[in-house]
Amino acid sequence: MLSNGFKFTYLAASNADYIDQQFELFLKNPQLVEPSFRALFEGMELGHEFAAREFAEHSPVALSAAPAEGPSIDWEMEMKAVRLIQAYREFGRNLSDIDPLHPAPKNHPQLELQAFGLSTLDLSRPFLAASLIGLPARSTLEQLVSKLRSIYCGTIAFELEEVSNAPAREWLRSRIESQALRKPLTPAEKKQIFQRLIESESLERFLGLKFVAAKRFSIEGSEALIPALDEVLEVGAEMGLKEISIGMAHRGRLNVLVNTFGKKPEYLFTEFEGNYKIDPSEGEGDVKYHKGYSRDVLSRSGKTV
């Protein structure tokens, strides 16, 4: 069992199926499993009970929603709901509707109710944990799942569990789960976004037709970057931002230079045609992708960035 000072190698992922089988036996009858595994699973149960107590004592949900009197709270079930919420935060993107060529998947094994010891019979059951994503305390499991799907499985997908900065991750999560980012667009805003997408797409089409053999790191497939940068500029200006510096990748760089920074297209076309003297210090080949640009931009609110 000991290997390089690590005494739990028998819990490695390669033994997961066997451990699952042993756990199933333990749930039926603890005496059916070998003593060391029985101790392990009993420790897991103790851990779940401890986590439930911690949830009861420290969760803002429990503090604000737990009734002083009335029916007792099944903290084991509450923890199942908490684990369900966490699973949607991690894997909800797998059900998102972001593939224009295929319908969104209807289910995912890591998001099935059964994976958390829940079932369709629990859909009408109220859960305090619903407050963790902004629902009223004691909303039903059905309402909880519906809200989770609307947040994490729509036409916008989120993946932020890999953000190592905990306060930053919590801030992002609160913004996402409050759905503050899903503000409705006015007709004028929709037209503005559509216009910017047309400008982005038109430039790429022209470059593709005019300079067929030229190396081109097209923005195609990521045209939404242009209206997204517009929004960064507008929101930044409102917050008092005075300067934005972009460290831009090759891909989409020319489109950003023209449509965001306002570089004149004729300058870009000249660089494609090679009708200029190359400075050896800039290297050769895709020099146009190594050039930058600077510009003062007037936001729609009249502020200069």
Side-chain angles (χ1 to χ4, degrees), residues 89 152 158-164 169 172-173 176:
R89 288 168 173 170
Y152 290 106
F158 300 99
E159 183 177 2
L160 52 92
E161 292 307 307
E162 297 302 319
V163 177
S164 58
R169 185 174 63 250
L172 286 168
R173 182 183 294 156
I176 291 167

Side-chain angles (χ1 to χ4, degrees), residues 56-70:
E57 293 173 6
H58 303 296
S59 168
V61 177
L63 294 174
S64 62
E69 298 179 359

Side-chain angles (χ1 to χ4, degrees), residues 36-223:
S36 62
F37 270 108
R38 187 160 64 246
L40 169 67
F41 298 141
E42 287 172 349
M44 289 170 54
E45 286 195 332
L46 178 62
H48 283 157
E49 290 179 10
F50 175 77
R53 286 198 302 272
E54 287 292 297
F55 178 78
E57 293 173 6
H58 303 296
S59 168
V61 177
L63 294 174
S64 62
E69 298 179 359
S72 60
I73 298 170
D74 188 336
W75 292 112
E76 183 178 354
M77 291 297 288
E78 291 293 335
M79 290 307 299
K80 291 178 180 179
V82 171
R83 290 195 291 272
L84 174 67
I85 292 171
Q86 185 60 28
Y88 268 91
R89 288 168 173 170
E90 293 187 41
F91 308 114
R93 54 184 159 70
N94 291 304
L95 297 181
S96 56
D97 186 13
I98 56 175
D99 185 348
L101 302 179
H102 301 93
K106 292 189 180 345
N107 48 58
H108 188 276
Q110 289 170 302
L111 298 173
E112 293 291 328
L113 293 177
Q114 291 78 3
F116 307 93
L118 300 167
S119 72
T120 54
L121 298 176
D122 298 310
L123 289 174
S124 59
R125 184 186 187 117
F127 284 88
L128 292 176
S131 291
L132 291 174
I133 59 168
L135 284 172
R138 295 191 173 278
S139 294
T140 65
L141 179 61
E142 184 175 19
Q143 293 170 319
L144 175 61
V145 172
S146 177
K147 179 74 178 290
L148 287 169
R149 284 184 171 252
S150 71
I151 294 170
Y152 290 106
C153 309
T155 53
I156 300 176
F158 300 99
E159 183 177 2
L160 52 92
E161 292 307 307
E162 297 302 319
V163 177
S164 58
N165 186 311
R169 185 174 63 250
E170 290 301 320
W171 182 86
L172 286 168
R173 182 183 294 156
S174 67
R175 295 282 290 172
I176 291 167
E177 294 183 352
S178 68
Q179 297 188 296
L181 303 177
R182 295 177 182 268
K183 66 174 186 177
L185 298 173
T186 66
E189 288 173 329
K190 291 179 180 180
K191 289 179 182 178
Q192 171 69 13
I193 291 173
F194 186 49
Q195 176 64 32
R196 297 292 277 153
L197 291 174
I198 290 175
E199 292 169 358
S200 174
E201 172 70 9
S202 297
L203 176 63
E204 295 296 349
R205 287 195 179 193
F206 179 82
L207 293 176
L209 292 172
K210 181 68 174 176
F211 307 104
V212 178
K215 178 165 57 174
R216 188 165 59 93
F217 300 95
S218 169
I219 200 175
E220 290 169 299
S222 302
E223 294 88 349

